[in-house]
């Protein structure tokens, strides 16, 4: 079976920082640690509302990341401009709505107008040699529309799989498998992500036609917990030493 690349999405390291508009935790530092842990790539989503990742983060990551940067972006002129200026290894086009908590569905490629705006963004990204991916729902017609648009890759939305249980989850896994097979047959690289965690990743990671996973929230969540004991003991030691004079 082909290898699976694991890209780590660090948006929520920036979410913690932005909660205080402070300078920690720094996603640039987190990227270095993620690479030490075995990340094959670093993913960040620069949202139009800048709720977590900031322009400064993307600019610094472009210099510091030793693996590759996967830049998630909406089909929005200003952010496409930045991608074309910085030339990350990969750009993944995603839908974006201001009121959503997280990316809710895949790109809508159902109308001529929507396909046209995606096509214009793809053309600009491809003109500067950025590998392109479209984040889509795992439906055959959307996979075919992505191939027609000339993207290099698709990222299949695993959110519905992650939210389902029992037989419904098995059906969602079969849906991912079928969409991935169509994508491979059409010559697309097939990625997947959203809502994957330590409990549900296994069956998706085993799908033969996939070659890249993008995982974020669960890793940042776990990092907070596995790092808590050490973080507190370091602070307790500082306080103890200060008291001891
Ligand atoms: N892939 C895409 C396109 C996303 O928008 C996100 C969330 O930002 C992810 C993967 C990662 O999802 P999660 O944080 O749930 O692992």
């Amino acid at each position: 079976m082909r290898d699976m690349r694991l890209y780590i999405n660090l948006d929520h390291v920036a979410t913690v920082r932005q909660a205080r508009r402070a300078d920690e935790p720094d996603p640039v530092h987190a990227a270095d640690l993620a690479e030490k842990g075995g990340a094959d790539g670093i993913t960040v989503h620069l949202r139009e509302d800048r709720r977590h990742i900031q322009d400064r983060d993307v600019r610094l990551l472009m210099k510091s990341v030793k693996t590759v940067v996967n830049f998630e972006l909406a089909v929005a002129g200003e952010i496409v401009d930045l991608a074309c200026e910085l030339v990350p290894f990969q750009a993944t086009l995603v839908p974006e709505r201001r009121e959503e908590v997280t990316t809710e569905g895949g790109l809508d490629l159902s109308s001529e107008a929507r396909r046209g705006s995606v096509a214009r963004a793809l053309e600009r990204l491809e003109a500067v040699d950025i590998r392109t991916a479209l984040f889509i729902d795992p439906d055959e017609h959307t996979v075919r529309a992505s191939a027609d648009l000339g993207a290099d890759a698709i990222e299949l939305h695993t959110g519905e799989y992650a939210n389902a249980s029992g037989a419904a989850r098995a059906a969602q896994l079969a849906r991912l498998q079928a969409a991935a097979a169509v994508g491979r047959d059409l010559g697309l690289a097939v990625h997947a992500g959203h809502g994957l965690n330590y409990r549900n990743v296994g069956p998706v990671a085993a799908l033969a036609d996939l070659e890249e996973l993008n995982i974020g929230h669960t890793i940042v969540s776990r990092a907070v917990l596995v790092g808590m004991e050490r973080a507190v003991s370091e602070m307790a030691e500082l306080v103890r030493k200060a008291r001891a004079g």
Side-chain angles (χ1 to χ4, degrees):
M1 210 186 298
R2 76 173 58 78
D3 283 346
M4 180 74 92
R5 301 186 296 275
L6 175 61
Y7 285 18
I8 306 303
N9 181 314
L10 296 174
D11 294 351
H12 296 304
V13 174
T15 300
V16 176
R17 178 191 61 192
Q18 295 311 109
R20 282 290 184 89
R21 305 278 187 275
D23 60 5
E24 65 174 6
D26 189 342
V28 176
H29 189 183
D32 179 50
L33 297 173
E35 288 182 319
K36 289 191 170 103
D40 297 303
I42 300 298
T43 299
V44 284
H45 182 180
L46 183 69
R47 295 184 71 104
E48 284 186 274
D49 63 11
R50 307 298 199 272
R51 70 172 71 156
H52 38 53
I53 291 293
Q54 306 295 307
D55 299 52
R56 162 263 183 215
D57 301 327
V58 186
R59 288 183 185 281
L60 288 177
L61 286 166
M62 284 299 300
K63 296 198 183 104
S64 68
V65 165
K66 296 176 206 68
T67 54
V68 293
V69 172
N70 173 32
F71 187 40
E72 284 181 11
L73 72 165
V75 183
E78 174 219 358
I79 316 267
V80 177
D81 288 347
L82 186 68
C84 291
E85 179 200 329
L86 297 178
V87 194
F89 169 72
Q90 179 167 289
T92 301
L93 290 171
V94 301
E96 205 173 290
R97 287 196 303 116
R98 272 176 197 265
E99 41 318 343
E100 70 192 359
V101 173
T102 182
T103 315
E104 282 167 358
L107 284 166
D108 178 1
L109 302 179
S110 63
S111 72
E112 195 66 50
R114 301 262 187 196
R115 286 195 297 276
S117 57
V118 170
R120 283 188 292 282
L122 283 176
E123 199 178 311
R124 294 195 55 204
L125 296 165
E126 282 160 5
V128 289
D129 276 340
I130 301 173
R131 184 176 196 268
T132 55
L134 301 180
F135 183 55
I136 58 167
D137 292 326
D139 297 318
E140 181 173 339
H141 60 274
T142 319
V143 175
R144 291 190 182 281
S146 304
D148 291 344
L149 285 167
D152 297 308
I154 48 175
E155 179 178 338
L156 299 177
H157 195 317
T158 49
E160 287 195 56
Y161 160 82
N163 289 334
S165 54
R169 176 171 286 184
Q172 289 297 335
L173 185 67
R175 190 177 161 215
L176 288 164
Q177 185 167 23
V182 173
R184 294 281 332 161
D185 284 349
L186 293 169
L188 294 163
V190 188
H191 312 161
H194 208 286
L196 296 177
N197 61 34
Y198 293 84
R199 295 177 304 283
N200 66 24
V201 72
V204 174
L207 293 177
D209 288 319
L210 293 184
E211 59 181 79
E212 178 186 309
L213 294 179
N214 277 281
I215 306 183
H217 186 267
T218 200
I219 289 178
V220 176
S221 304
R222 180 146 178 81
V224 170
L225 293 187
V226 300
M228 185 60 76
E229 190 175 336
R230 178 163 162 200
V232 172
S233 73
E234 285 176 2
M235 180 60 80
E237 180 65 5
L238 284 176
V239 171
R240 194 193 56 74
K241 276 195 184 141
R243 298 297 289 178

